[in-house]
Amino acid sequence: MDVSITDVEAIGVSATPSEPFGYAQAWVTDRTATLVRIEASDGTVGWGECWGPIAGTRETVDEFLAPKLVGRDPLAVERLHDELVDASRAAYMSTIPLPAISGVDIALWDLRGKLLDRSIGDLRGGRRREAVRAYATGHYFKHEADLETQFERIADEAVANAEALGAVKAKIGLRLLGYDHEADVGLVERIREAVGPETPLMVDANYAYDTATAREVGRSLETLDVRWFEEPVRPENVDGYAHLREALDVPIAGGECHDLYGFDRLFEVGGLDVAQPDLCDVGGITAGRRVVERARIADVQVVPHVWGTPVALAASLQLIATLPGDPWLEFDTSSNPLREELGSTSIDASEDGTVPIPPGPGLGIELDRSAIERFRVDR
Ligand code: CA
């Protein structure tokens, strides 16, 4: 196939959620992403997505990565990935701009799939399933009159999500609103009571605690049949992860803030039961598959972290298509106009709560160009 890359463009998009919502570390007042569009000489286009703030990432894609890609073979994705990482390491003094490289990598895989008329799952290990069970992420904090109102609204939301998807993940870390970890345990008790004993319930602390407090909270979560305790401590606290996994029976999850080397360290010390790479941050499909291979050796389950536009969701589904075992999809139910409006077709749960994995070439989705223009942030 005689094609080359002719154009690479980063597009910042931003939208306002219906109302601000919070988790242990911050209030979310806007939803942003940097999309990457890569075009080949035959006119085929691939799309990718970069995690995080637009500023910096957009410029890195347009001014640093794009010139290294134009004229190159779009099918040689892993070679290009490694070249970009190595060139960035030298240029950025070891601080590799992984969100930018992630968006480029996903766009290259989408492009490669479209050129070869195969889905990324087909190209990258083989599709093992056509649909995946999902759990609902949501249940965030909002500005409420008191804790009782807060608990009641979150419990109602969890019941609705449990009915639609069959499994839910609670957010804890009410310190954002000035409460301590006992309030967090109270919230999980309330949700468990509301959704009943059969609903799989996960808990995410977004590193709200020090190790000792996390241990205390973890012991309470064990009595509530919690499926996993996510990001109990700061991502840099690798020893804390190892300690908690040793001390607690509740499985330990994490990794959305880690790169490949961070995962390696966590696997080495036995700090994880569930690894959660974010494809828009860890280094795209290429790095995501490398985490999967390492996790397989370490005997750790992989459940990708998903938080973004339909591109992030579709990329995660393509990785999930290739996973061994019985994986989960993290299904974000929080307010995000980008997720709701950027795709030409939406990715939704079926009646049975599973989410179909798009079978089409590349990511298996198309984007709505007029919606992209509507949310586009100009420089
Ligand atoms: Ca999380």
Side-chain angles (χ1 to χ4, degrees):
M1 190 180 290
D2 191 20
V3 286
S4 60
I5 295 170
T6 50
D7 191 42
V8 178
E9 182 192 11
I11 302 166
V13 285
S14 175
T16 309
S18 54
E19 63 180 304
F21 58 90
Y23 62 103
Q25 303 300 337
W27 288 97
V28 177
T29 52
D30 62 348
R31 304 291 298 254
T32 63
T34 304
L35 300 175
V36 178
R37 180 185 181 278
I38 302 185
E39 188 170 340
S41 48
D42 70 345
T44 308
V45 168
W47 287 96
E49 176 175 344
C50 313
W51 165 267
I54 298 164
T57 294
R58 178 175 53 191
E59 291 73 15
T60 302
V61 172
D62 281 348
E63 291 162 33
F64 183 75
L65 302 178
K68 296 173 173 52
L69 292 166
V70 171
R72 303 295 301 277
D73 174 5
L75 299 179
V77 180
E78 283 170 78
R79 175 180 170 180
L80 292 172
H81 176 102
D82 289 343
E83 284 185 19
L84 296 180
V85 168
D86 286 337
S88 301
R89 186 180 290 111
Y92 290 85
M93 294 291 280
S94 290
T95 308
I96 300 166
L98 280 176
I101 290 175
S102 300
V104 166
D105 183 89
I106 294 167
L108 285 171
W109 276 108
D110 186 32
L111 182 56
R112 186 171 196 262
K114 284 175 175 151
L115 288 169
L116 299 176
D117 197 26
R118 301 294 296 270
S119 74
I120 295 171
D122 283 327
L123 295 173
R124 209 56 197 88
R127 284 166 77 93
R128 297 179 192 232
R129 59 191 58 78
E130 299 306 312
V132 61
R133 61 181 174 162
Y135 73 86
T137 280
H139 322 107
Y140 286 87
F141 315 139
K142 291 188 178 165
H143 295 290
E144 305 282 10
D146 52 42
L147 204 55
E148 174 52 31
T149 316
Q150 188 82 248
F151 281 17
E152 195 175 318
R153 179 188 48 77
I154 293 173
D156 288 348
E157 187 187 334
V159 168
N161 281 331
E163 270 166 25
L165 291 170
V168 295
K169 186 166 80 185
K171 288 284 181 185
I172 54 174
L174 284 158
R175 69 177 198 173
L176 183 75
L177 297 164
Y179 299 96
D180 69 6
H181 64 279
E182 285 171 18
D184 291 335
V185 172
L187 174 59
V188 181
E189 282 169 355
R190 184 67 174 269
I191 293 172
R192 171 52 86 198
E193 201 182 341
V195 300
E198 302 298 325
T199 303
L201 170 63
M202 298 76 158
V203 168
D204 185 358
N206 290 102
Y207 50 95
Y209 309 122
D210 56 34
T211 308
T213 310
R215 192 173 56 225
E216 194 182 329
V217 172
R219 292 209 169 113
S220 300
L221 298 183
E222 285 168 0
T223 68
L224 296 166
D225 193 22
V226 165
R227 287 292 181 99
W228 72 61
F229 186 9
E230 179 172 328
E231 289 204 299
V233 292
R234 283 194 314 279
E236 296 85 356
N237 183 4
V238 172
D239 292 341
Y241 273 87
H243 169 79
L244 292 169
R245 184 147 178 264
E246 182 74 34
L248 296 172
D249 288 334
V250 61
I252 303 296
E256 63 185 78
C257 301
H258 288 85
D259 63 7
L260 266 182
Y261 301 95
F263 277 108
D264 250 4
R265 287 198 62 211
L266 280 168
F267 294 154
E268 220 174 271
V269 301
L272 286 181
D273 293 284
V274 181
Q276 300 170 301
D278 187 303
L279 296 183
C280 302
D281 191 30
V282 77
I285 302 278
T286 299
R289 277 294 307 180
R290 290 174 183 171
V291 172
V292 169
E293 291 308 321
R294 285 159 163 79
R296 189 188 189 60
I297 293 165
D299 197 22
V300 171
Q301 189 188 10
V302 175
V303 180
H305 172 256
V306 188
W307 171 265
T309 80
V311 176
L313 181 55
S316 305
L317 283 167
Q318 291 298 332
L319 183 81
I320 286 169
T322 71
L323 294 177
D326 188 15
W328 290 97
L329 168 70
E330 175 167 19
F331 198 83
D332 175 19
T333 63
S334 66
S335 170
N336 185 357
L338 299 177
R339 188 190 64 242
E340 289 148 16
E341 296 177 42
L342 281 184
S344 293
T345 53
S346 63
I347 300 173
D348 276 324
S350 309
E351 285 281 297
D352 66 356
T354 64
V355 174
I357 300 171
L363 291 168
I365 58 161
E366 294 296 332
L367 296 181
D368 179 344
R369 294 307 304 266
S370 64
I372 293 175
E373 291 309 313
R374 206 158 65 239
F375 293 115
R376 185 180 190 128
V377 182
D378 287 320
R379 286 164 209 248

